[in-house]
Amino acid sequence: MSGAIESPATFVKQPVRASKWGEVIETMRRDWMLYAMLAPALIWFLIFMYKPMYGLQIAFKHFSAFKGIEGSEWIGFAHFMTLFHSDQFLRAISNTLVISFYSLILAAPVPILLALMINEVHSKGFRKTVQTVLYLPHFISVVIVAGIVIAFLSPTTGLVNTALRALGLEQVYFLTRPEWFRGIYISSGIWKEAGFDSIIYLAAIMGINPALYESAQVDGATRWQMIWRITVPCILPTIAVLLVIRLGHILEVGYEYIVLLYQPSTYETADVISTYIYRLGLQGARYDLAAAAGIFNAVVALILVLTANKISRRITRTGVF
Amino acid sequence: MAANVSLRNVAKHFGAVKVVDNISLEIEPGEFVVLVGPSGCGKSTTLRLVAGLEQISDGTISIDNRVVNNLAPKDRGVAMVFQNYALYPHLTVRDNISFGLRLGRMSKADIDAEVTRAASILELGPLLDRRPSDLSGGQRQRVAMGRAIVRNPSVFLFDEPLSNLDAKLRTQMRAEIKRLHSRLRNTVIYVTHDQLEAMTLADRIVVMRGGVIEQMGTPKELFDAPVSSFVAGFMGSPPMNLTPCSVVSNGDATSVTLGGTEKLSLPPAAREAINGTEQLTFGVRPEDIRLQPREGTQPINGLVELVEPLGGESLVHVRVGDDLFVMRAEGRTTVESDRPITLHLDMQRIYLFDRKGGRRVYHDMEATS
Amino acid sequence: MISTPIYSPGDRWFGRINTALLVVFALCALYPIVYVTSLSVSSGDAATSGRVWLWPVEWTLSAHAHVLQDKLFWTSYANTLFYTVVGTLTSLALIIPAAYALSKPRLMGRRWIGFFVAFTMWFNAGMIPFYLNLGDLDLLDSRWGIVIAFAVNAFNIILMRNFFESVSPSFEEAARMDGANDFQILWQVYIPLAKPAIATVAMLCAIARWNGYFWAMVMLRDENKIPLQVFLKKMIVDINLTEEAAGAMATQAYSLETITGAIIVLSMIPVVIVYPMIQKYFTKGVMMGGVKE
């Protein structure tokens, strides 16, 4: 090696990968079709996902529709200061966290329970029917769900109030009462999604080696014991990963459904960050301020999601349990 | 029809890993060459380099005296049969076979003629309108070959084509491939990890290891004159008994000790060949161990550990000190387990390998040829 | 567990209770749907006085007839069909080739491009810049705006890419030996092979199109372009929450409640009919997403 004179022969063989650019041109010539296939989607991402990111600068500007995004003047963090002195924004943050927290403890366990129960059904027909019925609400649009909720809770003619009247109780206009909003939101959410969300757990359960159950049976375990000693421990990693992912999304309470159900009298508990942005920006045309709220939300959400991802990756890799 | 294939100093790197390292190989027109070796030895990569599925990093590949380094697979005049057959499940057998022809500008009548020809060679006629999912493993294998045949390639490439079949079907398909080759007389490059397939099919076997050619030659050459303990241990079933031995020189006589206790004195030619090397591996084929003494045999004592009756013959596993020897005995042998036994080794047919590097240092060629 | 094991008496009771509870849950899932359906075919009088709770009372189709006479209902239904069919086809046309290219290890810059796509799942500009951007592109209040602005999402590309990656590379290699180029390989080999995965992605796109309302509501000013869900929102949510129209609308034959029910039922019918047939694709979609998420 040291000081060896390179013979011309070995020298000639090298320039196959002479330059990085030569290699790029070679791959382009070979794989141009792949790039042609990618191009439309990538252009789409550029226009509809990355261009708006450039537009995020209005959060630091005094946005004027006449001057446009670039022409508007910079004002630094003024909008953020405004937001953090706004009771409404702070309320939206706290509402978001509260709603997320409640759905985490109330709604998240339901799909697990359903999956465990469905797994105990042996009749194929019954099992399929139950699954079909339980998954159905997932496919019903939020508008219809809101419509059904409204119909149920209607103050004069709704079923709930009719029942209350029949019991001699006072009727309640639930949808105008802030104290009822979270309950309504979470329970209708469970109705809509719990069945469908059980699929992922059911898949995890199906992945358990049947021999575990067979040997437990030979050992005389009851079904109850098998659930607690085999099924639950085996799907714990899945549960943990999904829990972590949910935690990562704790700031993302969707506006689509809430916008349909809330009204000014329930903002107190119902207004979350995304609905606040919607009202401020799209309804109130305060684009710059709303964009600032959006940035704050997106950045915090990104950090949370990345952290959650890291943790869940660790769980899946090493199996914490 | 058949073409020669020539690999000169061919190399393939994936990053810093040299998967194929400076291989040179000349294949005659119509020759059936089998690349064999353990997984990861570079045999499949070599095949894929010839096919054009991978770009070579260095060297030249020519097919039919034409350098094909930068030619697309379809322009090389080769056809390939894949390990998992790669039959398109959504197409019928007919459409699978004619897939490549339909991509080109061939008239429908010509395509039909080609499909019919291939189908008659492979007896696929009644299956043409079925889908791959309705076929047995052997039938799928034949369809995969049909897809290769219709392209009239000058070189056939087979990538472990029989490894997905059960043992019985494998034997059957092996015979079929052999029959096909003797009929079509194309050049064939065939990759397998199964030495039995290599022995039965090949005109010439190329044993690969760690990206380089360990040895090439006719099946008989490889069996009788392995250049290294690696090849010796690879060819033959059961493989050659290979055991480390220590050399003891005592005046004019040189002997080796097996299993710590059993001494065998070496022929004079071996003594010269060893030339002072002390770290040796002793090799003897199971066929060259006998239960009765003969001319030129030397005895060693051991304990029968296991007798595996295979019907026509039995494999006897004998423990000699720390080593284990396998020998072939006849099917009705009276040898029983846990009994002492004396083995008679045919000293004219023994092998000695350098333990470092594994090169063969001694074998009496005349005894085996 | 393929066959039913032999159970002890205790375990049999466990099974029965489990079954009974599942029946209750299933009924809970169904009840709201049954309720609104019954409401929609009951008389307005019965509905307002709260006599409907499970089965129809004083059977009538007048609420349905009333809805079906509404021209806007039909317009929005047709619009939804357009958005669903054209939108889904557009999505597939963009997603499938991109996913195929991304699934090829030989694609130079694959990691970067993959990151470019996946990054949008973790971070996006949000509602306001997205909206302003649509305005810049002159896509507000435009049918094609709705179609194109929501045609692609990273998740579906990744779903599809995962499937393509699971296809044995020898399918591509065999086709390449036969002289096929990438377009031919995609069209003649991978797309037929990927039919189930494509169906899954198509269903995900279609159901999102059918059920989506928010952006259509935000973007579209022209009533003739609105999809069914926006029409529904106008008819159900907006009117009910103001409660003003309620009295004005009520007649003997139908009331706000029965009209609401009828609109819900009429818009739900296609989903409920098609759903059992496509259910398996969604189940598969969940699994496919779970593989590498």
Side-chain angles (χ1 to χ4, degrees):
Chain A
M1 284 290 146
S2 57
I5 302 157
E6 284 206 319
S7 72
T10 45
F11 194 69
V12 177
K13 281 179 189 166
Q14 297 309 321
V16 176
R17 23 177 68 222
S19 71
K20 186 83 186 153
W21 282 114
E23 205 181 327
V24 170
I25 290 165
E26 175 57 28
T27 26
M28 282 298 172
R29 209 175 54 82
R30 190 190 64 199
D31 291 335
W32 67 271
M33 285 187 187
L34 292 184
Y35 292 97
M37 292 174 182
L38 267 173
L42 293 189
I43 291 169
W44 185 93
F45 275 101
L46 219 48
I47 294 177
F48 290 101
M49 288 286 144
Y50 285 91
K51 189 159 162 267
M53 287 186 203
Y54 177 72
L56 270 178
Q57 57 181 280
I58 61 165
F60 306 93
K61 285 185 163 178
H62 185 77
F63 179 67
S64 143
F66 297 109
K67 293 181 189 163
I69 291 174
E70 286 179 21
S72 299
E73 59 192 291
W74 291 95
I75 54 161
F77 286 85
H79 292 313
F80 293 90
M81 299 311 286
T82 315
L83 282 175
F84 284 104
H85 287 100
S86 143
D87 291 340
Q88 285 195 23
F89 183 61
L90 298 176
R91 187 183 67 189
I93 294 179
S94 98
N95 279 341
T96 306
L97 291 174
V98 171
I99 286 186
S100 281
F101 178 72
Y102 279 138
S103 32
L104 203 63
I105 52 173
L106 295 172
V110 182
I112 304 173
L113 185 73
L114 286 177
L116 290 174
M117 293 177 69
I118 292 170
N119 184 52
E120 292 299 318
V121 174
H122 295 298
S123 148
K124 251 193 170 169
F126 179 65
R127 187 185 173 117
K128 192 128 200 299
T129 315
V130 166
Q131 280 175 299
T132 305
V133 170
L134 288 177
Y135 300 165
L136 175 64
H138 171 79
F139 297 90
I140 291 172
S141 77
V142 281
V143 182
I144 294 180
V145 175
I148 293 175
V149 169
I150 290 166
F152 261 83
L153 300 178
S154 156
T156 46
T157 59
L159 195 69
V160 177
N161 275 313
T162 312
L164 287 179
R165 263 202 308 278
L167 293 169
L169 297 168
E170 206 168 314
Q171 66 189 48
V172 185
Y173 192 177
F174 292 96
L175 285 171
T176 60
R177 296 290 193 77
E179 68 269 27
W180 285 102
F181 183 82
R182 287 171 190 145
I184 294 165
Y185 174 82
I186 289 169
S187 52
S188 56
I190 293 177
W191 177 76
K192 182 163 158 52
E193 300 298 346
F196 197 74
D197 287 347
S198 71
I199 293 178
I200 191 92
Y201 296 106
L202 212 48
I205 294 175
M206 302 306 272
I208 300 173
N209 183 352
L212 292 182
Y213 294 99
E214 283 162 10
S215 73
Q217 252 179 320
V218 174
D219 290 343
T222 65
R223 289 172 80 173
W224 186 251
Q225 284 169 325
M226 285 195 275
I227 289 174
W228 285 105
R229 305 271 171 88
I230 299 173
T231 316
V232 172
C234 283
I235 62 167
L236 262 184
T238 309
I239 295 175
V241 167
L242 291 176
L243 188 74
V244 169
I245 289 174
R246 274 188 93 128
L247 277 171
H249 291 273
I250 203 157
L251 273 186
E252 291 158 44
V253 175
Y255 45 81
E256 294 213 347
Y257 185 42
I258 290 190
V259 159
L260 295 170
L261 279 185
Y262 78 165
Q263 42 189 298
S265 62
T266 52
Y267 285 174
E268 190 185 326
T269 54
D271 196 20
V272 295
I273 302 175
S274 57
T275 55
Y276 176 74
I277 294 172
Y278 163 65
R279 268 205 329 284
L280 200 64
L282 297 189
Q283 293 188 317
R286 290 297 316 274
Y287 298 123
D288 42 10
L289 197 56
I295 280 199
F296 167 77
N297 191 32
V299 169
V300 178
L302 176 68
I303 295 168
L304 286 174
V305 167
L306 290 183
T307 317
N309 251 33
K310 207 163 206 168
I311 299 173
S312 75
R313 209 161 288 162
R314 188 160 301 165
I315 297 172
T316 38
R317 195 175 336 121
T318 57
V320 163
F321 297 94
Chain B
M1 199 66 220
N4 68 333
V5 178
S6 148
L7 285 77
R8 291 199 193 110
N9 305 106
V10 170
K12 175 68 183 174
H13 319 293
F14 290 110
V17 188
K18 290 181 176 176
V19 185
V20 174
D21 192 5
N22 202 19
I23 278 187
S24 294
L25 175 63
E26 299 289 332
I27 298 170
E28 301 298 318
E31 196 177 11
F32 198 122
V33 169
V34 174
L35 305 182
V36 67
S39 57
C41 70
K43 57 189 190 301
S44 277
T45 308
T46 307
L47 191 76
R48 293 163 60 83
L49 290 173
V50 175
L53 291 170
E54 308 274 359
Q55 182 110 35
I56 60 174
S57 309
D58 211 342
T60 346
I61 297 179
S62 349
I63 297 172
D64 208 7
N65 299 320
R66 187 172 57 138
V67 176
V68 296
N69 286 13
N70 292 313
L71 281 187
K74 66 164 162 123
D75 301 324
R76 296 187 176 200
V78 298
M80 184 152 164
V81 175
F82 289 83
Q83 182 171 7
N84 61 359
Y85 318 139
L87 300 181
Y88 308 123
H90 59 283
L91 298 180
T92 58
V93 168
R94 183 191 306 278
D95 289 346
N96 261 293
I97 291 178
S98 63
F99 183 87
L101 303 180
R102 284 180 291 127
L103 287 172
R105 297 193 175 172
M106 206 180 214
S107 74
K108 188 139 185 357
D110 289 347
I111 293 177
D112 284 344
E114 279 299 318
V115 172
T116 315
R117 181 180 70 91
S120 74
I121 292 173
L122 293 163
E123 294 161 16
L124 285 170
L127 306 176
L128 280 178
D129 293 315
R130 296 219 204 145
R131 281 176 199 269
S133 54
D134 301 328
L135 302 181
S136 70
Q139 288 169 332
R140 283 179 209 183
Q141 164 71 63
R142 289 217 298 275
V143 176
M145 289 201 281
R147 197 163 65 183
I149 288 176
V150 287
R151 301 194 54 228
N152 283 316
S154 42
V155 181
F156 271 113
L157 307 174
F158 287 88
D159 188 6
E160 309 222 11
L162 303 182
S163 61
N164 283 353
L165 299 176
D166 63 46
K168 196 172 169 190
L169 212 48
R170 207 178 303 166
T171 318
Q172 200 180 319
M173 291 309 298
R174 211 165 60 202
E176 198 149 341
I177 290 175
K178 185 133 200 171
R179 185 175 60 84
L180 196 68
H181 178 245
S182 58
R183 173 165 173 186
L184 298 175
R185 281 282 149 209
N186 299 53
T187 310
V188 174
I189 307 179
Y190 184 108
V191 164
T192 180
H193 61 264
D194 180 356
Q195 58 88 24
L196 190 61
E197 260 170 49
M199 296 288 275
T200 49
L201 286 171
D203 294 329
R204 191 147 56 111
I205 297 176
V206 177
V207 180
M208 291 185 67
R209 182 196 193 189
V212 297
I213 294 177
E214 183 90 0
Q215 184 175 8
M216 55 183 153
T218 63
K220 186 165 164 43
E221 278 166 9
L222 261 68
F223 187 79
D224 290 338
V227 296
S228 65
S229 55
F230 172 76
V231 177
F234 200 80
M235 310 306 292
S237 171
M240 184 186 289
N241 294 295
L242 290 167
T243 133
C245 64
S246 47
V247 183
V248 186
S249 288
N250 191 356
D252 278 352
T254 301
S255 55
V256 290
T257 314
L258 297 181
T261 54
E262 299 304 307
K263 267 198 179 159
L264 294 169
S265 60
L266 296 178
R271 210 176 312 156
E272 274 166 42
I274 294 171
N275 194 20
T277 320
E278 285 182 4
Q279 300 278 309
L280 288 178
T281 302
F282 178 91
V284 62
R285 293 228 175 253
E287 294 78 11
D288 299 329
I289 304 178
R290 295 170 214 291
L291 293 172
Q292 304 302 328
R294 264 197 222 172
E295 194 199 333
T297 62
Q298 288 183 39
I300 55 174
N301 296 308
L303 191 71
V304 178
E305 201 165 85
L306 179 70
V307 180
E308 287 182 294
L310 302 178
E313 59 177 11
S314 293
L315 296 181
V316 182
H317 298 242
V318 178
R319 180 157 292 285
V320 178
D322 299 332
D323 298 323
L324 198 63
F325 285 82
V326 179
M327 67 156 295
R328 287 179 190 276
E330 59 176 46
R332 274 177 235 93
T333 180
T334 53
V335 173
E336 285 176 38
S337 295
D338 298 325
R339 296 273 176 82
I341 191 171
T342 303
L343 300 177
H344 300 272
L345 274 54
D346 188 342
M347 291 309 283
Q348 287 172 331
R349 296 184 173 226
I350 63 160
Y351 298 78
L352 293 171
F353 303 95
D354 187 346
R355 214 182 301 166
K356 272 181 288 183
R359 295 287 115 189
R360 189 186 71 214
V361 291
Y362 168 74
H363 178 60
D364 184 357
M365 289 302 174
E366 276 159 31
T368 39
S369 58
Chain C
M1 280 188 270
I2 296 151
S3 62
T4 315
I6 302 154
Y7 282 131
S8 69
D11 280 349
R12 275 202 289 273
W13 273 108
F14 175 88
R16 279 174 211 143
I17 293 167
N18 183 55
T19 305
L21 279 175
L22 274 176
V23 169
V24 172
F25 288 158
L27 291 178
C28 286
L30 275 183
Y31 177 66
I33 297 165
V34 173
Y35 171 69
V36 286
T37 311
S38 296
L39 209 56
S40 75
V41 291
S42 299
S43 76
D45 192 37
T48 9
S49 58
R51 279 184 283 143
V52 183
W53 66 277
L54 182 61
W55 301 121
V57 177
E58 295 165 17
W59 171 272
T60 166
L61 280 174
S62 53
H64 285 264
H66 181 80
V67 174
L68 292 178
Q69 274 159 20
D70 193 333
K71 201 172 142 282
L72 197 53
F73 174 79
W74 290 108
T75 311
S76 63
Y77 224 114
N79 285 335
T80 289
L81 276 177
F82 172 81
Y83 293 134
T84 304
V85 173
V86 178
T88 303
L89 291 177
T90 311
S91 298
L92 293 179
L94 288 166
I95 289 171
I96 294 172
Y100 171 79
L102 273 177
S103 74
K104 295 293 154 215
R106 72 192 140 92
L107 182 79
M108 196 188 227
R110 179 174 181 242
R111 282 177 62 104
W112 287 104
I113 300 167
F115 181 77
F116 180 81
V117 169
F119 181 70
T120 59
M121 290 205 300
W122 314 124
F123 184 87
N124 64 68
M127 198 188 296
I128 305 301
F130 187 80
Y131 176 81
L132 292 177
N133 182 37
L134 291 178
D136 282 353
L137 298 168
D138 215 7
L139 289 176
L140 295 175
D141 206 16
S142 136
R143 281 202 171 90
W144 292 106
I146 298 273
V147 167
I148 194 71
F150 305 94
V152 183
N153 69 53
F155 180 75
N156 285 342
I157 289 191
I158 290 170
L159 212 64
M160 203 63 226
R161 185 205 62 186
N162 287 356
F163 181 85
F164 282 141
E165 277 179 352
S166 72
V167 174
S168 160
S170 47
F171 281 113
E172 181 194 342
E173 288 165 358
R176 199 166 289 281
M177 299 286 306
D178 283 341
N181 63 37
D182 280 307
F183 285 119
Q184 289 168 320
I185 293 172
L186 173 61
W187 188 252
Q188 298 190 27
V189 180
Y190 273 65
I191 288 183
L193 279 174
K195 265 185 200 154
I198 291 172
T200 301
V201 171
M203 292 304 150
L204 287 173
C205 293
I207 205 84
R209 293 282 184 180
W210 188 272
N211 282 340
Y213 86 95
F214 184 83
W215 282 101
M217 170 187 86
V218 169
M219 287 167 68
L220 300 173
R221 295 275 155 268
D222 183 352
E223 266 200 341
N224 290 316
K225 295 175 188 162
I226 61 167
L228 184 61
Q229 300 297 331
V230 174
F231 172 77
L232 280 174
K233 186 196 173 264
K234 280 187 204 295
M235 294 303 291
I236 306 170
V237 182
D238 297 350
I239 290 180
N240 269 287
L241 286 182
T242 53
E243 286 279 324
E244 285 160 21
M249 196 186 267
T251 67
Q252 279 297 306
Y254 53 83
S255 69
L256 180 64
E257 289 76 20
T258 63
I259 295 282
T260 305
I263 297 174
I264 290 178
V265 169
L266 289 171
S267 71
M268 222 163 35
I269 283 174
V271 175
V272 174
I273 290 176
V274 176
Y275 156 68
M277 290 179 257
I278 60 174
Q279 184 198 339
K280 65 171 178 182
Y281 293 116
F282 287 93
T283 320
K284 204 175 285 165
V286 173
M287 314 274 188
M288 277 163 62
V291 178
K292 280 200 181 172
E293 254 286 275

